[in-house]
């Protein structure tokens, strides 16, 4: 609905606000509204007149308290005056007619004014009923179609059939019209319901007119209140219609039986007329008998005459006096009924029945009004209890979620600013909360999809043994992470301590050129142990200097050298989990931090901590996995109660080193910084346990889903880039987003609740990044890894415990197990990371190439049957590849996702 609203230029903001705010509270749903009504409404809204200041003033006037009060009085008069004048025996037409005519004119003016200046009133239920109600007043004004009270009434029995029909129609119209007039009472109901919206100055504040400052005071109330008012009005309208139908329209069925006659009147007049014709002298005695009969009634005859009809008018030739008549002529002529035969006429005083009838009519009307009011108020409170209070609570939560979800979303921030600058009203159609609500729901469904996809992966029904073996690595708990904590490390603070020193990795000294080092073909196996030490030393030194851990004091370099050597010594000579792996992980972290532009969201101290964690993350690794340690009851499994025993041990060994005076890297840090560095090392190393893998992938996907807009906007790598190394000339993502006015994604990654996840994922991704390198590097690492697995398998066999499938050198097919490993573990992790940091896409490209290479190897080695081949290309394998491909293509060619 908000989309097809005509555009407003800034000059008409005030008027447009007024226009938006004129939506009647009882606006009917537009579903059933005919097309041309909608077009007419729309045309009216777009017209110059509608947007003119005159129309705006009229609107304001119609909504003012003064006009509302006057209209309410006019309505009260229109409702009760006709019956009240009967009760009060008003015997002349002038003043009731004057009052009723004035009311009618006022209603007509209001009807016209609202129809022309309020598009929402046009063709609404209220306009219909107002028209009927206003038109109905012609039956209450004597000079139009009403009853002339100065003339006696002719009962219906003698009138011609056509006249009966007319009376029937007019009575029906009058009953229906009174119903129409009654609907105006609904406005009174609204006033009562809105009473709590009146401020101290008495200025009327309908919910639609709430000023922005009030929104700030009651941020949660607005939309709930608007919904409540709408709901209340819709319900009240229906209850009112039902009440009016029952109280006013149901008696219409009586109209079919109308006229209802008191036969005694006709019978007596006929009897007297007969006597008068045949035995004129007995007329008076007959009249006396009639007077005696009616003496016990509340009504009776008071005059009688002989005569004849001339053009439907009875001309009396002789009046009869002194026949003991009890009644006298009524004050109000219209209460006198003339009952006649062609030759005789008796006039009855019907004032008491007429009064009773008027009183009953008044009572029924008051009763109807009371019921409508009571039910409206009762409904309003029910609506408040049932809908508004829960809605307010729910919307409060939605706002909180939205605040978190959209904290970094420039779209919503932009909208809020726009709303603030335009002083927008809380019209339900364009309420910010509604947009937020929709967006939150969208987010939640995306987040639910993330969950569902993870559950789907865990469905092991048609997996082969390798894949189940891989999944069994994901043993351990999946309980919620505890890493979402804020921490005191302030990037700016630590940055301000010292200017960053340009890293000098002394790569050339180690025989590695910078391009190779930064590429995915960098192979630590090419380095000698001494070169490994040197490289680590230089990497650590430059980062420690940047982080102001080292400030050039004497002995620092020696300490670092000792530390690196100690770490090197701490790694046993395993096929895979050795110092080479540690250096490989550390250099991969350096690369990833460059690609992700980590300078924007991690302080130098945090980066340095991450590198220390990377170097020490597998220190003391015995060459067996956690499952084995638990199975054999190893002392580590005993010590750490089977909960990540290896990772706990790595942390402990690393910190034993860091506690020694000769390797005390963090000795110069303040207590707070030291604690923070320790927290980072411990958390990130503990999260290298594969048992944490699934949850990490899920959390990364959630992080992306929650901030998709902001990340998408800022992701604009240069089109056609083949390599993703950051170039010096290219502005950083942060600067780009500043230049383009978008939200800075670094704010997302540096938010306290996300930073630890980001660091954990960097270390973990580096730890398992072997399958995402150039083919020869990947293959070399895969061989080392399986060598270690098989060694464990041999141990398992010799100890007589079950051999884990991946460790069984007799059964395992190497290429096939690698395909499964990439498919289930590595590709979801890298996919999630590439969404967050598109510059990492090169790892994705390598993964998809390598999976093809493993496939070829597998086909060469096993010569699989058609069936097996088909099974090897399941959707679950293709999907991650497609995701990479899409991702890479869009990043490379479209500059975004
Ligand atoms: Zn590792």
């Amino acid at each position: 609905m908000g989309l097809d609203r005509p555009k407003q230029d800034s000059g008409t903001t005030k008027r447009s606000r007024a226009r938006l705010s004129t939506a009647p509270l009882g606006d009917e749903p537009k579903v059933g509204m005919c097309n041309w009504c909608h077009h007419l409404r729309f045309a009216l809204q777009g017209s110059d007149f509608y947007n003119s200041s005159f129309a705006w003033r009229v609107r304001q006037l119609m909504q003012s308290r003064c006009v509302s009060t006057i209209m309410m009085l006019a309505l009260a008069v229109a409702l009760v005056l006709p019956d009240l004048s009967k009760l009060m025996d008003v015997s002349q037409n002038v003043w009731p007619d004057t009052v009723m005519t004035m009311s009618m004119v006022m209603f007509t003016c209001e009807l016209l004014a609202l129809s022309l200046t309020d598009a929402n009133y046009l063709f609404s239920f209220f306009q219909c009923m107002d028209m009927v109600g206003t038109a109905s007043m012609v039956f209450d004004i004597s000079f139009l179609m009403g009853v002339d009270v100065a003339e006696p009434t002719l009962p219906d029995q003698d009138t011609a059939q056509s006249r009966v029909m007319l009376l029937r129609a007019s009575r029906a119209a009058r009953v229906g019209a009174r119903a129409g007039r009654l609907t105006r009472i609904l406005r009174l109901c609204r006033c009562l319901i809105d009473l709590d919206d009146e401020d101290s100055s008495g200025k009327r504040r309908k919910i639609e007119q709430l000023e922005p400052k009030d929104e700030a005071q009651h941020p949660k109330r607005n939309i709930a209140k608007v919904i409540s008012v709408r709901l209340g009005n819709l319900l009240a309208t229906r209850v009112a219609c039902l009440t009016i139908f029952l109280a006013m329209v149901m008696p219409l069925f009586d109209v079919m039986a109308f006229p209802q006659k008191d036969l005694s009147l006709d019978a007596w007049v006929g009897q007297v007329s007969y006597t008068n014709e045949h035995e004129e002298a007995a007329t008076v005695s007959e009249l006396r008998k009639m007077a005696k009969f009616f003496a016990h009634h509340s009504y009776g005859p008071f005059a009688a005459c002989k005569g004849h009809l001339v053009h439907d008018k009875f001309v009396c030739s002789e009046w009869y006096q002194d026949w003991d008549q009890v009644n006298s002529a009524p004050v109000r002529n219209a209460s006198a009924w003339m009952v006649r035969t062609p030759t005789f006429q008796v006039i009855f005083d019907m004032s008491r029945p007429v009064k009773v009838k008027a009183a009953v009519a008044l009572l029924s009307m008051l009763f109807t009004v009371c019921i409508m009011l009571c039910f409206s108020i009762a409904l309003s409170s029910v609506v408040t209890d049932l809908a508004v209070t829960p809605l307010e609570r729910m919307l409060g939560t939605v706002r909180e979620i939205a605040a978190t979800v959209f904290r970094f979303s420039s779209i919503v921030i932009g909208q809020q600013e726009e709303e603030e600058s335009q002083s927008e009203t809380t019209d339900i159609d364009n309420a910010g909360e509604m947009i937020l609500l929709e967006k939150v729901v969208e987010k939640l469904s995306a987040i639910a999809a993330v969950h569902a996809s993870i559950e789907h992966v865990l469905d092991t029904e048609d997996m082969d043994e390798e894949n189940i073996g891989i999944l069994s690595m994901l043993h351990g708990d999946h309980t919620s992470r505890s890493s979402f904590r804020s921490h005191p490390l302030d990037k700016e603070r630590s940055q301000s301590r010292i200017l960053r020193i340009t890293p000098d990795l002394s790569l050339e000294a180690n025989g590695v050129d910078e391009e190779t080092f930064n590429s995915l073909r960098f192979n630590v196996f090419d380095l000698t142990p001494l070169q490994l030490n040197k490289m680590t030393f230089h990497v650590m030194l430059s980062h420690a200097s940047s982080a102001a851990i080292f400030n050039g004091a004497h002995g620092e370099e020696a300490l670092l050298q000792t530390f690196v050597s100690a770490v090197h010594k701490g790694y046993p000579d395993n096929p895979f989990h050795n110092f080479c792996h540690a250096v490989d992980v550390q250099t991969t972290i350096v690369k990833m931090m460059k690609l992700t532009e980590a300078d924007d969201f991690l302080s130098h101290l945090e980066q340095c901590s991450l590198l220390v964690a990377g170097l020490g993350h597998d220190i003391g690794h015995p060459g067996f996995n956690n499952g084995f340690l638990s199975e054999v009851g190893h002392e580590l499994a005993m010590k750490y109660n089977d909960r990540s025993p290896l990772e706990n041990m790595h942390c402990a060994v690393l910190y034993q080193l860091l506690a020694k005076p000769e390797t005390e890297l963090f000795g110069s840090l303040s207590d707070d910084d030291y604690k923070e560095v320790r927290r980072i090392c411990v958390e990130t190393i503990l999260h290298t346990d594969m048992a944490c893998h699934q949850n990490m992938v899920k959390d990364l996907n959630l992080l992306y889903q929650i901030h998709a807009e902001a990340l998408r906007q800022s992701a604009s790598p240069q089109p056609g880039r083949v390599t993703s190394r950051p170039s010096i000339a290219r502005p950083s993502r942060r600067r780009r987003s500043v230049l383009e006015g978008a939200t800075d994604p670094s704010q997302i990654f540096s938010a306290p609740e996300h930073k630890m996840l980001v660091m954990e994922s960097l270390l973990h991704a580096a730890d398992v990044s072997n399958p995402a390198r150039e083919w020869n590097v990947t293959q070399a690492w895969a061989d080392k890894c399986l060598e270690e697995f098989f060694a464990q398998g041999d141990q398992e066999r010799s100890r007589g415990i079950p051999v884990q499938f991946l460790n069984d050198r007799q059964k395992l097919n190497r290429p096939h197990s690698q395909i499964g490993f990439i498919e289930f573990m590595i590709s979801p992790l890298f996919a999630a990371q590439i969404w967050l940091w598109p510059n990492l896409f090169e790892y994705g490209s390598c993964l998809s190439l390598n999976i093809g290479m493993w496939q070829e190897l597998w086909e060469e080695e096993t010569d699989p049957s058609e069936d097996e081949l088909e099974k090897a290309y399941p959707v679950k394998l293709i999907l991650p590849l497609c995701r990479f491909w899409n991702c890479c293509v869009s990043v490379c060619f479209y500059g975004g996702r």
Side-chain angles (χ1 to χ4, degrees):
M1 277 185 282
L3 288 176
D4 53 7
R5 180 170 285 133
K7 282 217 162 190
Q8 302 288 322
D9 58 317
S10 55
T12 58
T13 306
K14 198 180 175 189
R15 294 200 294 273
S16 74
R17 188 197 333 169
R19 195 185 71 197
L20 293 175
S21 69
T22 52
L25 290 157
D27 192 19
E28 287 292 283
K30 294 176 178 76
V31 186
M33 201 167 75
C34 60
N35 248 348
W36 62 269
C37 298
H38 189 73
H39 286 309
L40 264 175
R41 250 189 209 189
F42 191 61
L44 177 68
Q45 270 182 329
S47 70
D48 288 341
F49 166 76
Y50 192 84
N51 294 315
S52 68
S53 57
F54 172 73
W56 183 72
R57 280 201 199 101
V58 172
R59 251 187 315 261
Q60 294 297 101
L61 183 71
M62 296 315 293
Q63 286 179 349
S64 68
R65 182 161 256 315
C66 173
V67 169
S68 301
T69 315
I70 292 172
M71 294 315 294
M72 199 61 70
L73 284 175
L75 172 64
V77 166
L79 276 176
V80 300
L81 189 68
D83 289 317
L84 208 61
S85 63
K86 283 180 197 167
L87 263 181
M88 291 168 65
D89 275 336
V90 175
S91 58
Q92 39 113 346
N93 291 314
V94 184
W95 74 260
D97 276 359
T98 315
V99 175
M100 288 303 277
T101 312
M102 276 168 59
S103 299
M104 191 177 167
V105 170
M106 279 157 66
F107 287 156
T108 314
C109 290
E110 189 198 23
L111 183 70
L112 284 174
L114 282 178
S115 302
L116 290 176
T117 62
D118 187 347
N120 288 308
Y121 178 75
L122 203 61
F123 305 113
S124 68
F125 166 77
F126 285 100
Q127 193 199 25
C128 267
M129 294 317 277
D130 282 355
M131 276 160 72
V132 173
T134 309
S136 73
M137 293 183 69
V138 298
F139 297 107
D140 288 322
I141 297 172
S142 68
F143 59 83
L144 292 171
M145 291 174 77
V147 177
D148 184 359
V149 292
E151 290 295 319
T153 313
L154 203 61
D156 310 302
Q157 66 266 39
D158 286 346
T159 52
Q161 189 63 24
S162 60
R163 191 124 180 230
V164 173
M165 289 308 290
L166 180 72
L167 277 167
R168 265 183 198 171
S170 74
R171 184 178 154 89
R174 202 174 306 177
V175 174
R178 188 147 298 176
R181 233 175 285 172
L182 267 173
T183 56
R184 283 171 176 266
I185 291 289
L186 275 182
R187 295 186 191 178
L188 183 70
C189 302
R190 280 185 222 151
C191 278
L192 284 175
I193 292 166
D194 286 349
L195 274 180
D196 55 352
D197 274 332
E198 314 241 336
D199 59 14
S200 53
S201 68
K203 187 180 143 211
R204 190 171 186 189
R205 295 188 313 166
K206 271 202 266 180
I207 191 68
E208 279 91 342
Q209 292 170 319
L210 277 177
E211 295 296 321
K213 61 180 166 63
D214 301 318
E215 283 175 42
Q217 281 160 7
H218 309 285
K220 284 190 292 182
R221 277 175 58 96
N222 297 337
I223 193 163
K225 192 73 180 147
V226 172
I227 291 175
S228 141
V229 169
R230 295 247 161 163
L231 202 58
N233 276 305
L234 286 176
L235 287 173
T237 311
R238 275 145 188 77
V239 169
C241 290
L242 184 69
T243 316
I244 291 167
F245 180 77
L246 289 175
M248 307 295 294
V249 183
M250 284 295 275
L252 266 184
F253 294 108
D254 283 351
V255 171
M256 308 311 287
F258 197 83
Q260 291 160 326
K261 302 184 212 171
D262 181 350
L263 291 174
S264 65
L265 267 65
D266 287 339
W268 275 109
V269 174
Q271 170 78 21
V272 175
S273 173
Y274 181 85
T275 313
N276 179 259
E277 270 173 43
H278 295 93
E279 195 183 343
E280 201 176 344
T283 304
V284 172
S285 72
E286 204 61 36
L287 281 170
R288 280 193 181 128
K289 276 188 203 164
M290 180 170 76
K292 199 178 167 193
F293 173 83
F294 282 106
H296 307 293
H297 286 67
S298 59
Y299 55 95
F302 64 88
C305 72
K306 190 165 100 172
H308 57 278
L309 274 171
V310 180
H311 302 304
D312 268 358
K313 224 174 151 36
F314 197 83
V315 181
C316 287
S317 53
E318 185 189 346
W319 289 93
Y320 290 91
Q321 309 290 341
D322 300 326
W323 40 275
D324 301 344
Q325 59 265 56
V326 181
N327 299 78
S328 56
V331 183
R332 185 176 175 274
N333 279 350
S335 298
W337 282 21
M338 301 177 292
V339 182
R340 56 176 71 141
T341 65
T343 57
F344 204 83
Q345 172 175 275
V346 180
I347 306 177
F348 287 82
D349 169 22
M350 300 298 285
S351 54
R352 281 178 68 185
V354 164
K355 277 183 191 172
V356 167
K357 207 173 153 192
V360 167
L362 268 179
L363 276 177
S364 90
M365 201 136 54
L366 286 176
F367 182 67
T368 311
V369 170
C370 283
I371 288 181
M372 278 163 67
L373 288 179
C374 292
F375 270 83
S376 295
I377 292 165
L379 269 178
S380 153
S381 73
V382 167
V383 165
T384 304
D385 289 348
L386 278 181
V388 180
T389 316
L391 255 179
E392 274 175 2
R393 244 195 336 262
M394 192 191 81
L395 287 166
T397 315
V398 165
R399 266 182 170 268
E400 274 164 32
I401 294 171
T404 317
V405 168
F406 297 111
R407 188 184 303 162
F408 304 104
S409 168
S410 56
I411 297 174
V412 173
I413 291 165
Q415 276 166 358
Q416 282 166 355
E417 281 165 2
E418 199 182 314
E419 274 173 17
E420 275 162 22
S421 66
Q422 290 201 352
S423 305
E424 200 54 272
T425 58
T426 57
D427 184 20
I428 197 159
D429 292 342
N430 62 348
E433 287 95 334
M434 275 317 219
I435 297 166
L436 279 185
L437 193 59
E438 272 172 31
K439 282 191 166 285
V440 168
V441 169
E442 206 176 279
K443 283 282 166 208
L444 290 179
S445 59
I447 286 163
V450 170
H451 270 275
S453 68
I454 281 169
E455 298 309 315
H456 180 72
V457 167
L458 289 175
D459 180 10
T460 55
E461 230 167 69
D462 10 279
M463 283 185 184
D464 42 32
E465 282 178 287
E466 274 105 344
N467 295 337
I468 293 170
I470 289 158
L471 282 178
S472 70
M473 289 171 79
L474 303 176
H475 68 87
D477 59 28
H478 288 252
T479 49
S480 64
R481 306 157 54 86
S482 57
S483 58
F484 294 101
R485 277 180 305 216
S486 64
H487 62 81
L489 252 205
D490 178 31
K491 181 175 68 185
E492 307 300 332
R493 185 168 63 93
S494 99
Q495 256 175 347
S496 69
R497 285 167 59 170
I498 194 163
L499 285 172
R500 184 175 173 91
I501 297 166
T502 316
D504 173 17
L505 300 178
S506 290
L507 292 164
E508 273 71 20
N510 289 313
V512 183
D513 62 283
E514 199 188 332
E515 199 191 331
T516 310
F517 179 82
N518 284 318
S519 73
L520 300 191
R521 65 175 179 275
F522 173 65
N523 193 347
V524 286
F525 294 133
D526 294 342
L527 302 179
T528 63
L530 191 64
Q531 283 175 323
L532 288 176
N533 270 15
K534 273 186 180 176
M535 175 172 286
T536 307
F537 170 75
H538 286 292
V539 167
M540 293 295 301
L541 183 63
S542 64
H543 278 87
S545 304
S546 303
I549 296 172
F550 287 175
N551 41 31
H554 179 69
E556 280 174 341
E557 293 193 10
L559 188 138
L560 182 59
Q561 233 145 15
T562 317
F563 173 75
V564 171
S565 302
V567 173
H568 194 152
K569 273 186 209 140
Y571 275 91
D573 199 17
N574 295 316
F576 182 90
H577 288 105
N578 50 37
F579 189 62
C580 267
H581 171 64
V583 176
D584 182 59
V585 170
Q586 195 189 43
T587 50
T588 307
I589 294 174
V590 172
K591 261 178 272 183
M592 284 183 164
M593 289 199 306
K594 274 188 194 171
L595 292 174
T596 56
E597 295 169 4
D599 277 352
D600 289 346
F601 54 86
L602 293 181
S603 72
H604 296 314
L605 187 57
E606 284 161 343
Q607 294 184 28
C608 191
S609 315
L610 201 50
L611 290 180
V612 171
L615 192 68
H617 82 280
D618 275 335
I619 194 165
H621 199 293
F624 306 113
N625 63 18
N626 283 333
F628 180 84
L629 299 184
S630 300
E631 188 69 40
V632 300
H634 192 276
E635 58 174 317
L636 286 175
M638 296 296 122
K639 189 173 177 185
Y640 296 110
N641 304 314
D642 293 340
R643 288 180 185 172
S644 306
L646 281 175
E647 288 73 20
N648 276 304
M649 180 268 286
H650 301 322
C651 284
V653 172
L654 178 64
Y655 261 86
Q656 278 161 14
L657 256 186
L658 286 168
K660 288 180 184 168
E662 66 272 21
T663 46
E664 194 185 14
L665 265 194
F666 301 126
S668 65
L669 291 180
S670 69
D671 282 357
D672 281 352
D673 283 356
Y674 184 86
K675 280 181 195 160
E676 188 50 33
V677 167
R678 179 169 160 77
R679 196 171 75 87
I680 292 169
C681 288
V682 170
E683 289 290 336
T684 52
I685 291 175
L686 286 181
H687 277 85
T688 56
D689 186 352
M690 286 309 266
C692 303
H693 179 87
Q694 292 278 36
N695 278 344
M696 186 182 290
V697 172
K698 191 173 79 183
D699 288 344
L700 289 173
N701 280 327
L702 284 182
L703 182 65
Y704 174 72
Q705 287 296 347
I706 287 170
H707 301 289
E709 289 91 351
L711 290 168
R712 225 179 267 137
Q713 277 187 345
S714 72
S716 52
Q718 287 167 359
R721 283 179 66 86
V722 178
T723 162
S724 53
R725 274 185 297 122
S727 67
I728 295 158
R730 189 168 155 236
S732 73
R733 189 144 108 164
R734 182 195 213 166
R735 271 197 60 209
R736 276 203 310 281
S737 57
V738 170
L739 290 173
E740 291 153 15
T743 312
D744 183 3
S746 63
Q747 285 179 27
I748 298 167
F749 303 132
S750 62
E753 66 270 30
H754 300 145
K755 201 184 253 183
M756 193 55 87
L757 170 67
V758 166
M759 287 191 281
E760 285 160 9
S761 81
L762 283 175
L763 175 53
H764 180 55
D767 194 19
V768 295
S769 65
N770 302 143
R773 308 292 183 77
E774 287 210 348
W775 173 240
N776 61 326
V777 183
T778 295
Q779 211 180 10
W781 280 114
D783 287 344
K784 298 272 180 192
C785 184
L786 286 175
E787 199 183 323
E788 192 171 306
F789 280 5
F790 291 157
Q792 185 187 317
D794 296 343
Q795 280 281 331
E796 285 165 341
R797 195 171 290 112
S798 69
R799 285 167 182 249
I801 57 173
V803 180
Q804 293 172 30
F805 193 85
L806 289 174
N807 304 342
D808 196 337
R809 64 172 82 236
Q810 289 154 7
K811 287 185 189 162
L812 190 82
N813 179 281
R814 293 172 179 230
H816 198 246
S817 71
Q818 285 298 313
I819 293 170
F821 186 59
I822 293 175
E823 182 190 337
F824 290 117
M825 316 256 323
I826 308 305
S827 65
L829 174 68
F830 276 87
Q833 283 207 318
I834 292 168
W835 286 121
L836 292 168
W837 298 286
N839 280 342
L840 295 177
F841 79 94
E842 224 177 340
Y843 288 95
S845 313
C846 281
L847 268 181
S848 54
L849 285 175
N850 290 342
I851 213 167
M853 297 297 283
W854 288 119
Q855 183 78 31
E856 272 176 32
L857 264 186
W858 175 62
E859 284 172 27
E860 270 173 35
E861 279 183 22
T862 55
D863 192 16
S865 66
E866 287 291 310
D867 268 8
E868 282 173 315
L869 263 181
E870 210 169 294
K871 219 180 156 189
Y873 287 108
V875 183
K876 56 190 174 185
L877 174 73
I878 303 301
L879 269 182
L881 291 181
C882 290
R883 284 173 74 184
F884 284 129
W885 192 81
N886 284 339
C887 186
C888 298
V889 165
S890 58
V891 165
C892 292
F893 299 104
Y894 305 111
R897 286 163 291 180

